[in-house]
Amino acid sequence: MENRNEKVLHHAFIRVNQKAQKLIQEKAVDKETMKWLLLKELIKEQLPNENPSNTTR
Amino acid sequence: MKILVIQLARLGDIYSTWPSLNALKRKFPNSQLDVMARKRFSNALLGMDAVDKIINLPTESIFAPILDKGEKWHRAFAESYDVLNNFINKHSDYDLIINLSFSPASSFLTYLLSNENTNVRGYTRFNDGFLSIPDDASAYFYAQVGVRKSNRFHLVDLFSEVCEVALEEDDWKINSSLVEKELNYPLEENYVVLHIGASEDHKVLNKEKWASILNQSRALTDKQIVMIGADNEADTANDINLLIRNKNILNIVGQTEIEDLFSIIGNAESFISCDSGPMHIASLCSTPCFNISSDTVRFWETGPKAKNSRIYQIKDFNTVGSDEIAHHLDGFINASVADEKVVLVNSNVSEYECLHEREDDFQWKLIRAIYLGADFPVPNNSNFIDALVQLSELNHIALQQLYAMDSKLDYSEHVNLLDRVDELMDTVTGVVKSTQPLVAWLKTEKVRTAPGETKDIVNSYLNLHNLFQDVLTIYLGDEAKYINSNETNLGGLDGHK
């Protein structure tokens, strides 16, 4: 189950990132784009080797 | 006034936020003080009286559509987006948002939760989506805090700086009912609490090493040892229990609620652990801690704060002898004169006392010079000066490009060169690590430059690169100064000359 979730989240990360990048190319960055970027970062934190710590430290 | 503190990190960081939360409530007694945390860690806010409301970031609800719907991506994303959107809309009426998380996700969240009237501290985003670091304390964090950096300010103190509060002794006080809570464990009058685990494997000793340390410690021979920990640490605790000779063990690993730890640790004589969340409970309870710290952790930032605690940092858990660790542990338990390898904690408001030279002493002095106005330290090897010469040459190129960026010209070529200068400065810093604080300061301040007219950005960068050159000149002498021979090309820029 854990492996399946990891795979799903990995695919989700790629697709949400694509969605956000597409929005950035189509228009100036707005709140909608920021929300997709937030979703992308939240998914990224769930991936292996990432953690919800203070990641820029 | 409504204040939101965003703390999306784990247990240790949440407990390290407690003194700042008390101080914020003291500073703004009539405010509503809410804290946003991840659901799986928000138990670490139970018993925190200064907080009016705990808001759980609903990550499970956000991810549920994605995990449930599998390949039906479009619909799943739309549902996840809606959950996130509703959550943001519900919590976007704060006057002050303080983001203590320092992560990309938290910066987007902070931006989206704030409105035109919100005062923001901590990482957020500019309107164009780039990282925005509005306050100096967070900029310091961005530049100097973390593994492979040389910061020695504790997270507790950095959090208070971001919150713009000065901590007092009373801010460490916790509700006495937490410590006085009656628990049905057969605890003796004097006992020692041991936590064998931590959030990540690289922070913990293996079970054989723990057992060997406990067997070799003379001071623990007759003491009751209370083993605490999470469910997933129970098997390890059982194995250690079988290996140690002291049979006065109370193994309650996996049996406690997190808020019970205040009573167990708060009434203990002392606490022993690697770098773990409960160590921060010991700090809040003023229970002295013997912290066996991994080299992969910056104990300066996350170590114990209770008076009379000691930190023993080990480069490699596998090679250091358990007899040596037991020796320092006994010194802590008996309060005997500490070996110089051990770092001492004299109070929760003072810096650690480190009696031995450390590799990054010079970098720390450099940080103090840059940020606190202390004297710039004398370098102890020629590599530093050689590296500064290279940085100075690179900085001259950067200044040359910036002065030449006339608005009438296509400046893409200049921008490419500036990017290249940044890369090469990183390379120099990678080779001569003692220069890292200086370059990190420059790069961070450039990140802080707000989006705007090219002319304004160029002016901001000019100021920063000139300031950088001023510091290099302290070490390299006046011949390192930049003389602008390109003044006629300034194009209205009000740069340094």
Side-chain angles (χ1 to χ4, degrees):
Chain A
M1 183 64 185
E2 212 163 87
N3 274 343
R4 183 213 166 249
N5 282 357
E6 272 178 24
K7 277 185 187 170
V8 171
L9 285 170
H10 189 74
H11 282 294
F13 171 73
I14 292 168
R15 292 194 174 229
V16 171
N17 190 32
Q18 284 170 346
K19 166 87 181 172
Q21 297 310 321
K22 192 166 170 246
L23 283 172
I24 290 169
Q25 282 170 2
E26 285 172 0
K27 58 180 181 177
V29 172
D30 60 7
K31 290 213 168 187
E32 186 200 0
T33 313
M34 295 273 210
K35 285 171 192 167
W36 284 107
L37 288 166
L38 169 58
L39 185 58
K40 181 196 85 169
E41 292 297 337
L42 288 172
I43 295 170
K44 191 179 173 195
E45 287 179 345
Q46 304 300 313
L47 298 176
N49 302 321
E50 297 287 339
N51 68 58
S53 190
N54 288 322
T55 50
T56 56
R57 259 198 261 154
Chain B
M1 181 178 182
K2 284 187 74 177
I3 304 172
L4 176 67
V5 172
I6 299 177
Q7 179 49 281
L8 301 182
R10 291 189 281 221
L11 296 179
D13 283 17
I14 295 178
Y15 285 122
S16 294
T17 306
W18 279 40
S20 289
L21 294 172
N22 282 328
L24 274 170
K25 199 65 173 182
R26 179 166 49 75
K27 186 176 177 182
F28 304 108
N30 299 318
S31 65
Q32 179 181 323
L33 177 58
D34 298 344
V35 177
M36 187 177 289
R38 287 172 203 273
K39 194 178 171 189
R40 66 182 161 130
F41 300 124
S42 62
N43 275 357
L45 288 160
L46 295 175
M48 200 317 118
D49 291 343
V51 172
D52 293 294
K53 192 162 73 176
I54 299 167
I55 299 168
N56 289 319
L57 180 69
T59 36
E60 282 176 26
S61 309
I62 292 166
F63 296 139
I66 294 171
L67 295 172
D68 292 347
K69 295 229 163 28
E71 300 286 310
K72 294 173 185 167
W73 295 113
H74 187 72
R75 199 169 144 198
F77 290 152
E79 287 180 26
S80 289
Y81 181 92
D82 283 346
V83 174
L84 192 57
N85 195 33
N86 290 338
F87 175 77
I88 289 164
N89 290 338
K90 196 175 164 190
H91 300 290
S92 50
D93 60 342
Y94 285 94
D95 303 296
L96 170 62
I97 297 180
I98 303 169
N99 178 11
L100 297 180
S101 304
F102 306 101
S103 65
S106 71
S107 65
F108 284 110
L109 186 61
T110 301
Y111 174 84
L112 290 163
L113 291 172
S114 55
N115 58 56
E116 63 273 21
N117 300 316
T118 309
N119 184 13
V120 173
R121 296 184 64 82
Y123 290 6
T124 181
R125 292 276 151 178
F126 287 119
N127 288 336
D128 64 358
F130 278 85
L131 180 67
S132 166
I133 312 176
D135 58 289
D136 291 343
S138 297
Y140 174 84
F141 195 107
Y142 183 89
Q144 310 295 354
V145 177
V147 176
R148 289 180 291 279
K149 295 186 179 175
S150 302
N151 165 58
R152 293 187 186 178
F153 290 123
H154 199 280
L155 269 193
V156 167
D157 302 311
L158 289 168
F159 287 160
S160 73
E161 288 292 325
V162 178
C163 291
E164 240 181 342
V165 289
L167 294 184
E168 297 177 0
E169 289 277 348
D170 275 0
D171 295 326
W172 286 87
K173 283 191 180 160
I174 55 172
N175 188 324
S176 57
S177 65
L178 285 169
V179 180
E180 289 163 6
K181 185 179 176 183
E182 296 245 350
L183 299 170
N184 292 321
Y185 296 118
L187 296 168
E188 295 177 2
E189 195 175 338
N190 296 313
Y191 63 92
V192 170
V193 178
L194 170 68
H195 181 214
I196 48 144
S199 57
E200 292 165 77
D201 288 345
H202 66 91
K203 297 179 180 176
V204 291
L205 295 166
N206 63 39
K207 56 191 175 189
E208 290 81 11
K209 185 78 90 181
W210 270 123
S212 181
I213 293 166
L214 297 173
N215 281 335
Q216 294 189 65
S217 164
R218 292 179 185 173
L220 288 178
T221 308
D222 302 321
K223 291 226 188 281
Q224 184 187 32
I225 300 174
V226 179
M227 293 172 74
I228 60 161
D231 292 349
N232 61 359
E233 292 159 2
D235 288 345
T236 309
N238 289 335
D239 291 345
I240 292 172
N241 206 354
L242 290 173
L243 291 169
I244 51 181
R245 286 192 289 273
N246 181 342
K247 293 303 166 196
N248 193 4
I249 304 286
L250 176 64
N251 180 359
I252 51 174
V253 173
Q255 298 173 35
T256 52
E257 298 295 329
I258 196 156
E259 60 267 34
D260 296 343
L261 297 182
F262 282 92
S263 173
I264 297 165
I265 296 172
N267 290 297
E269 189 180 285
S270 52
F271 179 76
I272 303 163
S273 78
C274 295
D275 301 286
S276 75
M279 183 177 71
H280 301 283
I281 294 179
S283 295
L284 290 169
C285 296
S286 301
T287 301
C289 173
F290 184 73
N291 172 214
I292 303 165
S293 183
S294 153
D295 199 30
T296 56
V297 173
R298 292 285 301 167
F299 71 81
W300 302 97
E301 295 165 4
T302 57
K305 290 287 266 183
K307 185 180 176 182
N308 296 329
S309 295
R310 294 185 183 185
I311 302 160
Y312 182 49
Q313 191 177 39
I314 298 168
K315 279 211 167 179
D316 183 351
F317 278 170
N318 295 316
T319 56
V320 71
S322 42
D323 55 337
E324 194 176 330
I325 302 175
H327 167 72
H328 296 303
L329 173 60
D330 284 353
F332 162 73
I333 300 277
N334 296 327
S336 55
V337 176
D339 186 285
E340 68 166 21
K341 290 179 184 170
V342 173
V343 175
L344 305 175
V345 185
N346 295 322
S347 87
N348 55 17
V349 290
S350 61
E351 283 181 29
Y352 292 144
E353 184 181 336
C354 183
L355 300 171
H356 60 288
E357 274 188 28
R358 301 189 62 89
E359 278 177 19
D360 63 353
D361 280 349
F362 177 80
Q363 285 97 303
W364 172 236
K365 286 176 187 167
L366 197 53
I367 287 174
R368 291 181 67 88
I370 298 167
Y371 292 91
L372 302 178
D375 290 339
F376 278 87
V378 178
N380 49 12
N381 65 59
S382 60
N383 288 348
F384 178 75
I385 295 297
D386 292 344
L388 290 198
V389 170
Q390 290 171 331
L391 289 173
S392 178
E393 286 168 3
L394 290 168
N395 200 47
H396 279 205
I397 295 171
L399 285 164
Q400 200 176 24
Q401 299 310 310
L402 288 163
Y403 279 119
M405 282 175 74
D406 191 304
S407 57
K408 292 171 195 162
L409 300 173
D410 173 12
Y411 48 79
S412 59
E413 203 175 298
H414 300 300
V415 171
N416 286 339
L417 269 164
L418 287 170
D419 288 343
R420 195 81 186 103
V421 164
D422 282 348
E423 286 170 23
L424 289 168
M425 282 189 174
D426 281 343
T427 306
V428 173
T429 294
V431 176
V432 184
K433 297 199 179 351
S434 50
T435 59
Q436 194 267 341
L438 276 173
V439 176
W441 169 84
L442 175 67
K443 290 184 74 174
T444 303
E445 293 307 310
K446 285 169 77 174
V447 166
R448 294 181 78 187
T449 303
E453 298 288 325
T454 305
K455 186 183 82 158
D456 297 331
I457 294 170
V458 169
N459 266 331
S460 169
Y461 278 25
L462 268 173
N463 281 325
L464 294 169
H465 278 279
N466 273 303
L467 271 171
F468 185 65
Q469 195 63 40
D470 288 347
V471 175
L472 298 178
T473 304
I474 292 171
Y475 284 103
L476 302 178
D478 283 351
E479 60 267 37
K481 279 185 177 170
Y482 180 76
I483 297 161
N484 177 27
S485 57
N486 208 11
E487 287 182 42
T488 51
N489 281 345
L490 275 177
L493 296 178
D494 183 24
H496 284 245
K497 298 188 176 77

